[in-house]
């Protein structure tokens, strides 16, 4: 598998160097692999810090900026960041109002962020943590006890980030994050495997003519493999898997919908898939308040897609519409 | 090649349906394949209309909005739009201040937009046209007499769009577009072929272990094939090809740099490639005013990248920084 890289060992640091050069509004500590807002710490503001293995770009570093994250700590590809990275991101961004760590539910991430939280508290930083475990496909997957954290992370970071930007105190920001984490459900489908730089080729075998339903964002096994399906059929399976997890009836409030590409699927196809997802949502009686289509929570070069629905009351819709100014998500600023 | 589609014949209309559902700020005429700003025509404002074959998303429909295009007319995949589409986009967006058609230099596009211009003028629309021919790799390629139009299109649309938004008259908007078109140079590299829905597989054969230098955005042949290179080596060949075309000496003014993905290359790799591009630019004495990294002018699922440099005086930098509010490019709004 050909890649646009120098050597596998330097992929993440090379990317951080390139990110620094493209985004003067960010402070990028390449050596320690920490990205923070240039204006951090923002006086009186709760800081949001997230991170995880690289390979899911633009998440998380692409979500650092006004109205979303204050700091991010990318690990090596598909590898949890070490606690020191998260502590550095917290210390660099804490204004004294406290830090909320947003953690995707993978064993390594949970362990390392828990340790980071303790270390940060030892340094006098008031710290809280919210876990994102939105992937309804499987429980106790590879790397995970419980459900995996995937596309719902974007909603937690955006909505809690908006609350923090408005000056909400830590307990309120944490409450919003928990509400959103509980309101999100995701389901992903792979048309191809992804290739990691270290391996130099596909991380699993997905035969021609088959797709994998319920795929994880590291290529972890999903629910089942089936012969290739149409976009409309994939939308039906995906939406129905999400609604089944809602107890079989549609959400009470309208949803925020993320129709997400895994990285290797053209935007042309993603928009077409969105049409099918919205068709099925309408048929199932789900009202959609806002829709975001694009590559936001990716798996390197994997072809495929995921759908995340976030049930949103008026307040969450308002927080979604609030200004955000990051490399990957930007409006109202 | 597995694709997230229903049937090849409906790929573009499916995508337009999905775009309409995600972007209420756009008016999408799915049947006629025309996308315009919802607030068009904007009183007193020159309208910018562009279009071309689909498969390069987010270009062009993703660039419709305040500060950039007023309308776009996507053709079928890698196929020029018909004149009627361009006329509809012009008529729907003309405020009476005139329309500028921005056309990439491909034989079909040039013919059809020329006809559209005549038809629009017959309808009483004052119309001008600027040609984008920024790809330095080859002259007289497949589908092209002269140079191909590629990444420079983004700069022409953004900078002329900013001038139009500020109320500049047609002749001034056209002059800005011509200046920018003349100030842009691009060069692309493919690590893999792209696959069109109609063909259902790769449109050309690129062996494992080889890349193609100077690739076109439809997979048209470039300059040469070589054994796979590192990101740093690709940056050197690319930047040197661009500077050679500048007469061997660096541009006088700083450049706006677009480090663009062809669609299938992960953002992680693109940021790393940007670090190498900036290293080579600095070594060659080229000052960079602004940098944009991402998938903007794509070739479906092709793995690879292109670099566009736009030499920019203070006024062009100011127009670059001006507010833009489109699906794919958004700041300051």
């Amino acid at each position: 598998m050909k890649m646009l890289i120098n050597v596998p060992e330097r992929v993440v640091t090379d990317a951080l160097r390139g990110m620094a050069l493209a985004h003067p509004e960010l402070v990028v500590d390449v050596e320690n692999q920490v990205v923070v807002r240039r204006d951090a710490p923002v006086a009186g503001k709760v800081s949001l810090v997230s991170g995880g293995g690289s390979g899911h770009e633009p998440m998380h570093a692409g979500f650092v900026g006004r109205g979303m994250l204050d700091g991010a700590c990318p690990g090596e590809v598909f590898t949890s960041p070490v606690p020191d990275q998260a502590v550095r991101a917290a210390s660099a961004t804490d204004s004294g109002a406290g830090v909320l760590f947003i953690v995707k539910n993978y064993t390594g991430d949970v362990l390392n962020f828990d340790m980071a939280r303790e270390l940060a508290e030892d340094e006098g930083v008031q710290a809280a943590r919210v876990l994102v475990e939105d992937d309804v496909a499987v429980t106790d997957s590879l790397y995970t006890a419980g459900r995996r954290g995937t596309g719902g992370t974007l909603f937690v970071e955006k909505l809690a980030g908006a609350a923090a930007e408005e000056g909400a105190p830590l307990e309120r920001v944490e409450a919003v994050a928990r509400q959103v984490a509980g309101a999100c459900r995701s389901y992903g489908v792979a048309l191809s495997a992804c290739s990691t730089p270290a391996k130099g080729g596909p991380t699993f075998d997905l035969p021609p003519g088959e797709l994998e339903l319920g795929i994880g964002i590291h290529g972890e096994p999903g629910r089942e493999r089936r012969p290739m399906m149409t976009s409309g059929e994939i939308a039906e399976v995906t939406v129905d898997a999400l609604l089944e997890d809602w107890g079989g009836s549609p959400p009470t409030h309208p949803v925020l919908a993320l129709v997400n590409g895994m990285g290797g699927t053209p935007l042309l196809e993603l928009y077409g898939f969105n049409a099918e997802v919205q068709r099925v949502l309408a048929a199932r009686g789900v009202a959609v308040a806002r829709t975001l289509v694009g590559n936001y929570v990716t798996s390197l070069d994997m072809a495929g897609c995921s759908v995340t629905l976030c049930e949103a009351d008026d307040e969450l819709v308002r927080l979604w519409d609030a200004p955000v100014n990051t490399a990957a998500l930007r409006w109202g600023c």
Side-chain angles (χ1 to χ4, degrees), chain A residues 63-90:
Chain A
F63 299 152
V64 173
R66 180 180 165 203
M68 210 161 169
L69 295 179
D70 294 77
C73 47
E76 295 306 310
V77 171
F78 293 176
T79 302
S80 299
V82 296
D84 178 62
Q85 292 177 259
V87 174
R88 284 178 186 271

Side-chain angles (χ1 to χ4, degrees), chain A residues 12-26 28 30 35 57-58 60-64 74 326-328:
Chain A
V12 174
T13 50
D14 280 356
L16 288 171
R17 286 194 301 124
M19 191 165 205
L21 290 159
H23 296 287
E25 72 277 15
L26 300 175
V28 181
V30 175
V35 178
E57 289 67 30
H60 297 272
F63 299 152
V64 173
T326 70

Side-chain angles (χ1 to χ4, degrees), chain A residues 4-328:
Chain A
L4 185 61
I5 65 173
N6 288 310
V7 292
E9 299 73 28
R10 271 176 42 200
V11 164
V12 174
T13 50
D14 280 356
L16 288 171
R17 286 194 301 124
M19 191 165 205
L21 290 159
H23 296 287
E25 72 277 15
L26 300 175
V27 176
V28 181
D29 179 344
V30 175
E31 190 189 350
N32 292 303
Q33 298 186 192
V34 172
V35 178
V36 303
R37 290 169 62 158
R38 186 164 290 284
D39 60 355
V42 179
K45 181 188 168 304
V46 171
S47 167
L48 270 67
V49 169
S50 191
S54 292
H56 308 299
E57 289 67 30
M59 182 177 77
H60 297 272
F63 299 152
V64 173
R66 180 180 165 203
M68 210 161 169
L69 295 179
D70 294 77
C73 47
E76 295 306 310
V77 171
F78 293 176
T79 302
S80 299
V82 296
D84 178 62
Q85 292 177 259
V87 174
R88 284 178 186 271
S91 299
T93 57
D94 180 35
S95 68
V99 174
L100 178 67
F101 290 113
I102 297 170
V103 184
K104 300 194 301 302
N105 189 34
Y106 298 96
T107 309
D109 290 30
V110 173
L111 282 171
N112 288 348
F113 273 97
D114 276 351
M115 194 173 302
R117 184 184 172 187
E118 287 180 26
L119 292 168
E121 286 176 337
D122 288 347
E123 290 185 10
V125 174
Q126 190 187 358
R129 188 205 73 175
V130 64
L131 206 60
V132 185
E133 38 190 349
D134 56 312
D135 186 342
V136 305
V138 295
T139 308
D140 301 338
S141 174
L142 211 58
Y143 318 126
T144 315
R147 287 182 169 183
R148 303 175 297 214
T150 60
T153 317
L154 181 145
F155 289 108
V156 174
E157 296 179 358
K158 170 67 181 82
L159 300 172
E165 200 71 45
E166 292 178 356
L170 180 57
E171 62 183 18
R172 168 72 187 145
V173 174
E174 183 185 352
V176 170
R178 279 190 206 291
Q179 179 192 354
V180 176
C184 283
R185 285 161 178 77
S186 298
Y187 191 84
V189 176
L191 307 191
S192 79
C194 53
S195 296
T196 57
K199 176 146 184 179
T203 56
F204 63 99
D205 180 52
L206 186 54
E210 287 188 21
L211 50 69
E212 178 145 347
L213 299 172
I215 194 77
I217 58 171
H218 311 91
E220 311 97 298
R223 283 189 181 175
E224 58 173 323
R225 292 186 174 187
R226 284 203 203 162
M228 190 56 199
M229 299 157 69
T230 66
S231 170
E233 291 164 345
I234 294 171
E236 282 163 21
V237 168
T238 299
V239 169
D240 286 342
L242 295 172
L243 294 187
E244 187 187 345
D245 201 79
W246 246 289
S249 58
T252 310
H253 295 288
V255 297
L256 312 173
L258 168 63
V259 175
N260 176 64
M262 291 298 196
T265 287
L267 192 54
L268 184 72
E269 298 179 22
L270 286 182
Y271 271 117
F273 181 58
N274 180 50
E276 297 301 324
V277 169
Q278 304 276 339
R279 174 183 62 77
V280 181
L281 287 171
R284 304 291 187 269
V286 180
V288 179
R290 301 288 184 274
T291 301
L292 182 68
V293 179
N295 292 288
Y296 292 99
V297 179
T298 63
S299 302
L300 293 167
D301 61 339
M302 183 188 283
C305 55
S306 66
V307 175
T308 301
L309 302 180
C310 175
E311 184 171 5
D313 57 24
D314 289 351
E315 171 65 3
L316 293 188
V317 174
R318 190 187 68 77
L319 292 172
W320 178 254
D321 289 340
V324 60
N325 192 5
T326 70

